[in-house]
Amino acid sequence: MDETIQTSEISVGVVGLGLMGSSIVAALLMAGHPVKAIAPLPNELADALQRITSQLQHGEEAELLTQPLEKTVALLTLSADYGELHDCRLVLECVTEKIPIKQTVYEKIAAVVSTDTVLASNTSAIPISMLQQYVPNPERFMGVHWAEPAYMTRFMEITCGTHTSVALADWVFRLAHHWKKEPTLLRKDIRGFVTNRLMYAIYREGLHLVETGAASLDDVDKAFRYDAGSWMTMMGIFRRMDYTGLQDYPEIFRRIFPQLSNSEAVPKLMQHLVDRQLRGTQSAQGLYDYTEEEAKEWDKAFAVFNKDIYQLAARYPFRTDQRIG
Amino acid sequence: MDETIQTSEISVGVVGLGLMGSSIVAALLMAGHPVKAIAPLPNELADALQRITSQLQHGEEAELLTQPLEKTVALLTLSADYGELHDCRLVLECVTEKIPIKQTVYEKIAAVVSTDTVLASNTSAIPISMLQQYVPNPERFMGVHWAEPAYMTRFMEITCGTHTSVALADWVFRLAHHWKKEPTLLRKDIRGFVTNRLMYAIYREGLHLVETGAASLDDVDKAFRYDAGSWMTMMGIFRRMDYTGLQDYPEIFRRIFPQLSNSEAVPKLMQHLVDRQLRGTQSAQGLYDYTEEEAKEWDKAFAVFNKDIYQLAARYPFRTDQRIG
């Protein structure tokens, strides 16, 4: 933890107050930053205020606040006016994953901030080097990818584009520890970053097993919840290999790699659902069917689960300086 | 739960008392089965007894026993004599992953059990249909794949070979619920079963990212622990997709699938470590380096973590008949 950093002295801007943007605002407030939260769509303002308030209360229950709730709320400026960003040293963009929209937003931000402000996108779909074309100071632009809910997950990927200053990325990396993150810093701009590439390798194989009739959706979910789910949060994948013993892996690689799906096509199963506008729990129909009531229960249950797993994970950082003994 | 099944009336044999076999014995004892535990290598007996006893104590602390510890221990028969298996309705083979050794073990079991005994292998590496060639009653043979520690994980894959009776596999499936498992029943004998194929898809991609310098081992582990690890245990992969919303997946599939590793080769990184006889925490050197003390701490910490995550997962079964509300 870099103790020279005082979050109270660093104003942070957040542009885009959808689900993700709101929860990023909550995370930054909990860390003690003055936050300028900008709604590019003015009708987002009321919803955003309500969401952020309720997330701060959730954070208070989970004992995540560093100061009392009312002081935390007082750090927030909520507005549709980009001008509020003028004193921000860091601005996080969390608008929809469409390049022309992001481009317009970057222009509006650039018009009001100082030339040494760092600008970061929460994108998980568009390469940072591509977005870098649309900002006046590419060396001050990078990816800062959060996981939902931003105030109660430790995940964060900081990704450099071709022109990003590594020193600035490192400053954000150090800052992220004050947000209680366990950030990764990617010096190379790889498509999909780390976590998406790993997840899409699983999605490809899992959908392949289902489409070929080898297993049901539910079989795949059960196997993953109760096998990987029983160690993932503590170990990650490589420490797990070390823990199980490395000696048998090459032989199993030789046998299984040639069997894995290498498809580049969108699985028909998925395309078909999306063509029918099924969205999952949001529309109470997706890969699985839900009653309206069940779909709502997922939200409620995940809020509880997330707090539990966050607290559990915190007891197993297992860095060399923090051992269980 | 099939209430016509009385575990106390079903003797189960376990052959092979290494780490996995011992913990399977403990799981079956906790479920109330009389267990005949056979050590093919007589020098395994003392170690096995000590391990099983300590696992039962661990189970008692975690409140997993269905009857007092001494009654549970009294269900155990530990022996080097295959003859003890004579009254078993189910025998689980957990010896090393070498076909000739398994073949010899199956012959010894077949010589003593009744013709209607079900025989199952804990293999995760050899196809069930291949092993089926070496048993006298192939329709009574199947895969029953446990996760370590067997008494404190809910994972179980039951796999049919070409000749397996699905009715018998279904009987084991129902029995497994008495062992507090969330089993999957695979009617097709696919290489690597479900969980291994998913995991090897991740290993392939993860090692590819490390070998190409896109990310460090530790970056990959952090990303997975703190992203997937924050929901995996509750949702599995397909419910997660439903929860995040399906609509953007096809586009991301189209972009990312062509970027994923399709290699069939053993990653050099892994082969090199295994050639140097590095085994991971067992040898205090593997993908990561450990001090002797750290290597030991992993075992200790994982025992604690495993209990925590087991109890946490139990609160989120989220079947339609058991809602959180």
Side-chain angles (χ1 to χ4, degrees), chain B residues 17 38-48 78-82 108:
Chain B
L17 302 179
I38 309 300
L41 311 168
N43 62 8
E44 279 185 354
L45 281 177
D47 278 358
L78 193 62
S79 174
D81 175 11
Y82 280 75
K108 289 185 183 171

Side-chain angles (χ1 to χ4, degrees), chain B residues 13-27:
Chain B
V14 176
V15 179
L17 302 179
L19 284 178
M20 191 78 228
S22 301
S23 103
I24 292 173
V25 169

Side-chain angles (χ1 to χ4, degrees), chain A residues 98-108 131 133-134:
Chain A
K98 296 197 164 62
I99 292 174
I101 293 178
K102 288 192 190 283
Q103 187 177 359
T104 309
V105 165
Y106 296 159
E107 283 162 11
K108 291 185 183 171
L131 293 176
Q133 301 169 39
Y134 306 112

Side-chain angles (χ1 to χ4, degrees), chain A residues 225 294 297 316 320 323, chain B residues 225 294 297 316 320 323:
Chain A
R225 283 180 67 185
E294 281 168 344
E297 279 167 356
Y316 300 89
T320 43
R323 290 184 200 151
Chain B
R225 283 179 67 183
E294 280 168 344
E297 277 167 359
Y316 300 88
T320 43
R323 289 184 200 149

Side-chain angles (χ1 to χ4, degrees), chain A residues 125 195 197 205 221 225 227 229 233 237-238 242 255 259 279 287 290 294 297 308 316 320 323, chain B residues 125 195 197 205 221 225 227 229 233 237-238 242 247 255 259 279 287 290 294 297 308 316 320 323:
Chain A
T195 187
R197 289 179 73 117
E205 185 62 24
D221 274 355
R225 283 180 67 185
D227 186 3
T233 307
I237 67 172
F238 293 127
D242 271 354
R255 290 190 200 168
Q259 316 267 336
R279 299 169 75 94
L287 290 155
Y290 306 82
E294 281 168 344
E297 279 167 356
D308 286 344
Y316 300 89
T320 43
R323 290 184 200 151
Chain B
T195 187
R197 288 179 74 116
E205 185 61 24
D221 274 355
R225 283 179 67 183
D227 185 3
T233 307
I237 68 172
F238 293 126
D242 272 354
Q247 54 279 12
R255 291 191 199 166
Q259 316 266 338
R279 300 168 75 94
L287 290 154
Y290 305 82
E294 280 168 344
E297 277 167 359
D308 287 344
Y316 300 88
T320 43
R323 289 184 200 149

